[in-house]
Amino acid sequence: MTKRDDPATTLTIRQARVADARALDNFLAEIFRTARHVITKSQEFQPGFLSRRVWIARKQLNPFETCLLAVQAGKIVGMIESWTDRRARVCHITCFFMAVSPSEQRRGIGKHLLQAFLNWVAAHDRLDKVELHVHDDNDAALALYTKLGFEIEGRRKGAIRYEDGRVIDDLLMAYWPKKQSQGD
Ligand SMILES: CC(C)(COP(=O)(O)OP(=O)(O)OC[C@H]1O[C@@H](n2cnc3c(N)ncnc32)[C@H](O)[C@@H]1OP(=O)(O)O)[C@@H](O)C(=O)NCCC(=O)NCCS
């Protein structure tokens, strides 16, 4: 658990608990209602108190996955969740999604959250590589990932089609926390 003193308040980054289920659903509902660069549309998001409790419990029990929350004044203001294919030839790679409340963006929360996640991966005995998918026009996310050392490894052309007809590429980005912390 890490704490950051902020002129205005204190940010705590911690693992999600089952008791966070309803608040996490509310947080995600706001993200899917407002974020322009995520695949899930508001009407496609299915909140559910019980299913979210089970989802969090599974994250807690799965040593290859995590869900970290950024909490400020008792409120969830950011989350990052990871998932891992457990088949032997690819289980050294983990993938993640992250989001910060619209009203709290550009205050350093995303950077703290992502750094906490990268530290968790760096300390993991089996995970070596972090991957993510990001829309080519998601300037905020691209800037954050690049700032923390992620590199573009691939491009799925025309993978996303917005409602106004625009077709956007999906970028695959990656980072090797152990190699990069050793300066390789
Ligand atoms: C992407 C996201 C998580 C960034 O979180 P955040 O808390 O706003 O990011 P931070 O304040 O920690 O910013 C860290 C760095 O990222 C870059 N950055 C963040 N937002 C930016 C923006 N709107 N434009 C340009 N650069 C930006 C900057 O380099 C920034 O550092 P600086 O403020 O010192 O210049 C947030 O914008 C978000 O939740 N977006 C909606 C959901 C989403 O798109 N998730 C990603 C899916 S792949």
Side-chain angles (χ1 to χ4, degrees), residues 39-77:
I39 291 174
T40 304
K41 292 173 64 175
S42 194
Q43 59 269 38
E44 293 167 341
F45 173 60
Q46 294 185 328
F49 180 56
L50 284 177
S51 54
R52 184 61 61 192
R53 285 170 70 91
V54 171
W55 184 89
I56 293 171
R58 284 195 174 139
K59 289 284 173 203
Q60 289 175 323
L61 290 170
N62 185 337
F64 282 73
E65 300 186 353
T66 192
C67 176
L68 296 179
L69 301 181
V71 180
Q72 197 168 260
K75 188 168 177 259
I76 297 173
V77 292

Short mmCIF file of all heavy atoms in Angstrom, two decimals, residues 39-77:
data_model
loop_
_atom_site.label_atom_id
_atom_site.label_comp_id
_atom_site.label_asym_id
_atom_site.label_seq_id
_atom_site.Cartn_x
_atom_site.Cartn_y
_atom_site.Cartn_z
N ILE A 39 -13.47 0.53 -25.32
CA ILE A 39 -14.31 -0.24 -26.25
C ILE A 39 -15.74 -0.39 -25.71
O ILE A 39 -16.71 -0.20 -26.44
CB ILE A 39 -13.67 -1.62 -26.53
CG1 ILE A 39 -12.39 -1.43 -27.35
CG2 ILE A 39 -14.65 -2.53 -27.29
CD1 ILE A 39 -11.58 -2.68 -27.58
N THR A 40 -15.87 -0.70 -24.43
CA THR A 40 -17.20 -0.95 -23.86
C THR A 40 -18.02 0.34 -23.84
O THR A 40 -17.57 1.36 -23.32
CB THR A 40 -17.07 -1.50 -22.42
OG1 THR A 40 -16.25 -2.67 -22.47
CG2 THR A 40 -18.43 -1.85 -21.84
N LYS A 41 -19.22 0.29 -24.41
CA LYS A 41 -20.12 1.44 -24.37
C LYS A 41 -20.97 1.34 -23.11
O LYS A 41 -21.17 0.25 -22.57
CB LYS A 41 -20.99 1.46 -25.62
CG LYS A 41 -20.20 1.76 -26.88
CD LYS A 41 -21.03 1.61 -28.13
CE LYS A 41 -22.16 2.61 -28.18
NZ LYS A 41 -22.88 2.52 -29.48
N SER A 42 -21.51 2.49 -22.68
CA SER A 42 -22.28 2.54 -21.43
C SER A 42 -23.36 1.46 -21.38
O SER A 42 -23.52 0.75 -20.39
CB SER A 42 -22.91 3.93 -21.31
OG SER A 42 -23.36 4.13 -20.02
N GLN A 43 -24.10 1.34 -22.47
CA GLN A 43 -25.23 0.38 -22.49
C GLN A 43 -24.76 -1.08 -22.54
O GLN A 43 -25.55 -1.99 -22.33
CB GLN A 43 -26.21 0.68 -23.62
CG GLN A 43 -25.64 0.67 -25.02
CD GLN A 43 -25.14 2.04 -25.46
OE1 GLN A 43 -24.57 2.79 -24.68
NE2 GLN A 43 -25.33 2.36 -26.73
N GLU A 44 -23.47 -1.28 -22.84
CA GLU A 44 -22.93 -2.65 -22.87
C GLU A 44 -22.36 -3.08 -21.52
O GLU A 44 -22.05 -4.26 -21.32
CB GLU A 44 -21.83 -2.75 -23.94
CG GLU A 44 -22.36 -2.57 -25.36
CD GLU A 44 -21.26 -2.35 -26.39
OE1 GLU A 44 -20.13 -1.96 -26.01
OE2 GLU A 44 -21.54 -2.54 -27.58
N PHE A 45 -22.20 -2.12 -20.62
CA PHE A 45 -21.64 -2.44 -19.30
C PHE A 45 -22.74 -3.05 -18.43
O PHE A 45 -23.83 -2.50 -18.33
CB PHE A 45 -21.10 -1.16 -18.65
CG PHE A 45 -20.66 -1.36 -17.23
CD1 PHE A 45 -19.65 -2.26 -16.93
CD2 PHE A 45 -21.25 -0.65 -16.19
CE1 PHE A 45 -19.23 -2.46 -15.61
CE2 PHE A 45 -20.84 -0.84 -14.88
CZ PHE A 45 -19.83 -1.74 -14.59
N GLN A 46 -22.43 -4.19 -17.81
CA GLN A 46 -23.43 -4.86 -16.98
C GLN A 46 -22.96 -4.88 -15.53
O GLN A 46 -22.20 -5.76 -15.12
CB GLN A 46 -23.64 -6.29 -17.48
CG GLN A 46 -24.25 -6.32 -18.87
CD GLN A 46 -24.57 -7.72 -19.31
OE1 GLN A 46 -23.89 -8.67 -18.96
NE2 GLN A 46 -25.62 -7.85 -20.11
N PRO A 47 -23.44 -3.88 -14.74
CA PRO A 47 -23.07 -3.88 -13.33
C PRO A 47 -23.80 -5.00 -12.60
O PRO A 47 -24.82 -5.48 -13.07
CB PRO A 47 -23.54 -2.51 -12.83
CG PRO A 47 -24.61 -2.10 -13.77
CD PRO A 47 -24.35 -2.78 -15.09
N GLY A 48 -23.27 -5.40 -11.48
CA GLY A 48 -23.96 -6.45 -10.70
C GLY A 48 -23.24 -6.63 -9.39
O GLY A 48 -22.05 -6.98 -9.37
N PHE A 49 -23.95 -6.36 -8.29
CA PHE A 49 -23.34 -6.40 -6.97
C PHE A 49 -22.70 -7.76 -6.71
O PHE A 49 -21.53 -7.86 -6.36
CB PHE A 49 -24.41 -6.07 -5.93
CG PHE A 49 -23.90 -6.09 -4.53
CD1 PHE A 49 -22.82 -5.29 -4.15
CD2 PHE A 49 -24.50 -6.88 -3.58
CE1 PHE A 49 -22.35 -5.30 -2.85
CE2 PHE A 49 -24.03 -6.90 -2.27
CZ PHE A 49 -22.96 -6.10 -1.92
N LEU A 50 -23.46 -8.84 -6.93
CA LEU A 50 -22.93 -10.17 -6.62
C LEU A 50 -21.83 -10.57 -7.58
O LEU A 50 -20.78 -11.08 -7.17
CB LEU A 50 -24.06 -11.20 -6.66
CG LEU A 50 -24.99 -11.17 -5.44
CD1 LEU A 50 -26.11 -12.17 -5.59
CD2 LEU A 50 -24.19 -11.45 -4.16
N SER A 51 -22.05 -10.33 -8.88
CA SER A 51 -21.02 -10.75 -9.84
C SER A 51 -19.73 -9.95 -9.65
O SER A 51 -18.62 -10.47 -9.82
CB SER A 51 -21.52 -10.62 -11.28
OG SER A 51 -21.99 -9.33 -11.52
N ARG A 52 -19.85 -8.69 -9.25
CA ARG A 52 -18.63 -7.89 -9.01
C ARG A 52 -17.91 -8.40 -7.75
O ARG A 52 -16.67 -8.42 -7.70
CB ARG A 52 -18.99 -6.41 -8.86
CG ARG A 52 -17.79 -5.47 -8.69
CD ARG A 52 -16.84 -5.49 -9.88
NE ARG A 52 -17.52 -5.07 -11.09
CZ ARG A 52 -17.02 -5.19 -12.32
NH1 ARG A 52 -15.83 -5.73 -12.50
NH2 ARG A 52 -17.71 -4.79 -13.36
N ARG A 53 -18.68 -8.83 -6.74
CA ARG A 53 -18.04 -9.40 -5.54
C ARG A 53 -17.23 -10.66 -5.92
O ARG A 53 -16.09 -10.83 -5.49
CB ARG A 53 -19.10 -9.75 -4.49
CG ARG A 53 -19.65 -8.54 -3.78
CD ARG A 53 -20.86 -8.92 -2.93
NE ARG A 53 -20.49 -9.72 -1.78
CZ ARG A 53 -20.18 -9.25 -0.58
NH1 ARG A 53 -20.18 -7.95 -0.38
NH2 ARG A 53 -19.88 -10.05 0.41
N VAL A 54 -17.84 -11.49 -6.75
CA VAL A 54 -17.15 -12.72 -7.18
C VAL A 54 -15.92 -12.35 -8.00
O VAL A 54 -14.83 -12.93 -7.84
CB VAL A 54 -18.12 -13.61 -8.00
CG1 VAL A 54 -17.37 -14.77 -8.63
CG2 VAL A 54 -19.26 -14.10 -7.12
N TRP A 55 -16.07 -11.38 -8.87
CA TRP A 55 -14.97 -10.93 -9.74
C TRP A 55 -13.79 -10.46 -8.90
O TRP A 55 -12.63 -10.83 -9.14
CB TRP A 55 -15.50 -9.81 -10.63
CG TRP A 55 -14.55 -9.27 -11.66
CD1 TRP A 55 -14.39 -9.71 -12.93
CD2 TRP A 55 -13.66 -8.14 -11.50
NE1 TRP A 55 -13.45 -8.94 -13.58
CE2 TRP A 55 -12.99 -7.98 -12.73
CE3 TRP A 55 -13.39 -7.27 -10.46
CZ2 TRP A 55 -12.04 -6.98 -12.93
CZ3 TRP A 55 -12.43 -6.28 -10.65
CH2 TRP A 55 -11.78 -6.13 -11.88
N ILE A 56 -14.06 -9.66 -7.85
CA ILE A 56 -12.99 -9.15 -6.98
C ILE A 56 -12.35 -10.31 -6.21
O ILE A 56 -11.12 -10.40 -6.10
CB ILE A 56 -13.52 -8.07 -6.00
CG1 ILE A 56 -13.94 -6.82 -6.77
CG2 ILE A 56 -12.46 -7.72 -4.95
CD1 ILE A 56 -14.67 -5.78 -5.94
N ALA A 57 -13.18 -11.22 -5.70
CA ALA A 57 -12.65 -12.36 -4.93
C ALA A 57 -11.73 -13.19 -5.81
O ALA A 57 -10.68 -13.67 -5.36
CB ALA A 57 -13.80 -13.21 -4.40
N ARG A 58 -12.10 -13.37 -7.08
CA ARG A 58 -11.25 -14.15 -8.00
C ARG A 58 -9.92 -13.44 -8.23
O ARG A 58 -8.87 -14.08 -8.31
CB ARG A 58 -11.97 -14.35 -9.33
CG ARG A 58 -13.05 -15.40 -9.22
CD ARG A 58 -13.49 -15.85 -10.60
NE ARG A 58 -14.43 -16.94 -10.48
CZ ARG A 58 -15.52 -17.09 -11.21
NH1 ARG A 58 -15.81 -16.20 -12.15
NH2 ARG A 58 -16.31 -18.11 -11.04
N LYS A 59 -9.97 -12.12 -8.36
CA LYS A 59 -8.71 -11.36 -8.54
C LYS A 59 -7.81 -11.56 -7.32
O LYS A 59 -6.60 -11.71 -7.43
CB LYS A 59 -8.98 -9.86 -8.71
CG LYS A 59 -9.63 -9.47 -10.02
CD LYS A 59 -8.66 -9.48 -11.18
CE LYS A 59 -9.40 -9.25 -12.49
NZ LYS A 59 -8.69 -9.74 -13.66
N GLN A 60 -8.44 -11.55 -6.13
CA GLN A 60 -7.65 -11.69 -4.90
C GLN A 60 -7.00 -13.07 -4.80
O GLN A 60 -5.90 -13.22 -4.29
CB GLN A 60 -8.54 -11.48 -3.67
CG GLN A 60 -8.98 -10.04 -3.48
CD GLN A 60 -9.96 -9.91 -2.31
OE1 GLN A 60 -10.80 -10.78 -2.09
NE2 GLN A 60 -9.87 -8.82 -1.58
N LEU A 61 -7.73 -14.09 -5.31
CA LEU A 61 -7.25 -15.46 -5.18
C LEU A 61 -6.28 -15.86 -6.29
O LEU A 61 -5.55 -16.84 -6.16
CB LEU A 61 -8.44 -16.43 -5.19
CG LEU A 61 -9.32 -16.38 -3.93
CD1 LEU A 61 -10.59 -17.19 -4.14
CD2 LEU A 61 -8.55 -16.89 -2.73
N ASN A 62 -6.29 -15.12 -7.39
CA ASN A 62 -5.44 -15.46 -8.53
C ASN A 62 -4.08 -14.75 -8.38
O ASN A 62 -4.00 -13.53 -8.50
CB ASN A 62 -6.13 -15.02 -9.83
CG ASN A 62 -5.36 -15.45 -11.05
OD1 ASN A 62 -4.15 -15.70 -10.99
ND2 ASN A 62 -6.04 -15.53 -12.18
N PRO A 63 -3.01 -15.50 -8.12
CA PRO A 63 -1.72 -14.84 -7.88
C PRO A 63 -1.13 -14.16 -9.12
O PRO A 63 -0.17 -13.40 -9.01
CB PRO A 63 -0.82 -15.99 -7.41
CG PRO A 63 -1.45 -17.23 -7.94
CD PRO A 63 -2.92 -16.97 -8.04
N PHE A 64 -1.69 -14.43 -10.30
CA PHE A 64 -1.18 -13.84 -11.54
C PHE A 64 -1.96 -12.58 -11.95
O PHE A 64 -1.69 -12.00 -12.99
CB PHE A 64 -1.25 -14.85 -12.68
CG PHE A 64 -0.16 -15.88 -12.63
CD1 PHE A 64 -0.17 -16.88 -11.68
CD2 PHE A 64 0.89 -15.84 -13.54
CE1 PHE A 64 0.83 -17.83 -11.63
CE2 PHE A 64 1.90 -16.77 -13.50
CZ PHE A 64 1.89 -17.78 -12.54
N GLU A 65 -2.97 -12.20 -11.16
CA GLU A 65 -3.80 -11.04 -11.55
C GLU A 65 -4.01 -10.14 -10.34
O GLU A 65 -3.88 -10.57 -9.20
CB GLU A 65 -5.16 -11.52 -12.09
CG GLU A 65 -5.00 -12.41 -13.31
CD GLU A 65 -6.31 -12.80 -13.96
OE1 GLU A 65 -7.38 -12.49 -13.40
OE2 GLU A 65 -6.25 -13.43 -15.03
N THR A 66 -4.37 -8.87 -10.61
CA THR A 66 -4.67 -7.97 -9.51
C THR A 66 -5.68 -6.93 -9.95
O THR A 66 -5.91 -6.73 -11.14
CB THR A 66 -3.38 -7.28 -8.98
OG1 THR A 66 -3.67 -6.64 -7.75
CG2 THR A 66 -2.83 -6.26 -9.96
N CYS A 67 -6.30 -6.30 -8.97
CA CYS A 67 -7.12 -5.11 -9.23
C CYS A 67 -6.71 -4.11 -8.16
O CYS A 67 -6.95 -4.33 -6.97
CB CYS A 67 -8.61 -5.43 -9.14
SG CYS A 67 -9.64 -3.94 -9.32
N LEU A 68 -6.05 -3.03 -8.59
CA LEU A 68 -5.61 -2.00 -7.66
C LEU A 68 -6.54 -0.80 -7.76
O LEU A 68 -6.96 -0.42 -8.87
CB LEU A 68 -4.18 -1.54 -7.99
CG LEU A 68 -3.06 -2.58 -7.85
CD1 LEU A 68 -1.72 -1.95 -8.23
CD2 LEU A 68 -3.00 -3.12 -6.42
N LEU A 69 -6.84 -0.21 -6.61
CA LEU A 69 -7.70 0.98 -6.59
C LEU A 69 -6.91 2.17 -6.08
O LEU A 69 -6.09 2.04 -5.16
CB LEU A 69 -8.89 0.75 -5.65
CG LEU A 69 -9.81 -0.43 -5.96
CD1 LEU A 69 -10.95 -0.47 -4.94
CD2 LEU A 69 -10.36 -0.34 -7.38
N ALA A 70 -7.19 3.34 -6.65
CA ALA A 70 -6.70 4.60 -6.09
C ALA A 70 -7.89 5.20 -5.33
O ALA A 70 -8.95 5.41 -5.91
CB ALA A 70 -6.24 5.53 -7.20
N VAL A 71 -7.70 5.43 -4.05
CA VAL A 71 -8.79 5.90 -3.19
C VAL A 71 -8.39 7.23 -2.58
O VAL A 71 -7.29 7.38 -2.05
CB VAL A 71 -9.08 4.86 -2.08
CG1 VAL A 71 -10.22 5.34 -1.18
CG2 VAL A 71 -9.44 3.50 -2.69
N GLN A 72 -9.32 8.17 -2.66
CA GLN A 72 -9.06 9.51 -2.15
C GLN A 72 -10.28 9.93 -1.31
O GLN A 72 -11.40 9.89 -1.84
CB GLN A 72 -8.91 10.46 -3.34
CG GLN A 72 -8.25 11.77 -3.05
CD GLN A 72 -7.90 12.46 -4.35
OE1 GLN A 72 -6.77 12.43 -4.79
NE2 GLN A 72 -8.89 13.05 -4.99
N ALA A 73 -10.05 10.28 -0.08
CA ALA A 73 -11.15 10.67 0.82
C ALA A 73 -12.26 9.61 0.81
O ALA A 73 -13.46 9.94 0.75
CB ALA A 73 -11.69 12.04 0.43
N GLY A 74 -11.88 8.34 0.81
CA GLY A 74 -12.85 7.25 0.87
C GLY A 74 -13.53 6.93 -0.45
O GLY A 74 -14.41 6.07 -0.50
N LYS A 75 -13.16 7.60 -1.52
CA LYS A 75 -13.84 7.43 -2.81
C LYS A 75 -12.87 6.82 -3.83
O LYS A 75 -11.70 7.22 -3.87
CB LYS A 75 -14.31 8.80 -3.29
CG LYS A 75 -15.19 8.79 -4.49
CD LYS A 75 -15.83 10.16 -4.71
CE LYS A 75 -16.67 10.12 -5.98
NZ LYS A 75 -16.01 10.73 -7.12
N ILE A 76 -13.36 5.87 -4.64
CA ILE A 76 -12.53 5.31 -5.70
C ILE A 76 -12.37 6.37 -6.80
O ILE A 76 -13.36 6.83 -7.37
CB ILE A 76 -13.16 4.03 -6.29
CG1 ILE A 76 -13.26 2.94 -5.22
CG2 ILE A 76 -12.33 3.52 -7.49
CD1 ILE A 76 -14.02 1.69 -5.67
N VAL A 77 -11.12 6.73 -7.08
CA VAL A 77 -10.87 7.72 -8.13
C VAL A 77 -10.05 7.13 -9.27
O VAL A 77 -9.81 7.80 -10.28
CB VAL A 77 -10.17 8.98 -7.57
CG1 VAL A 77 -11.11 9.75 -6.65
CG2 VAL A 77 -8.87 8.61 -6.85
#
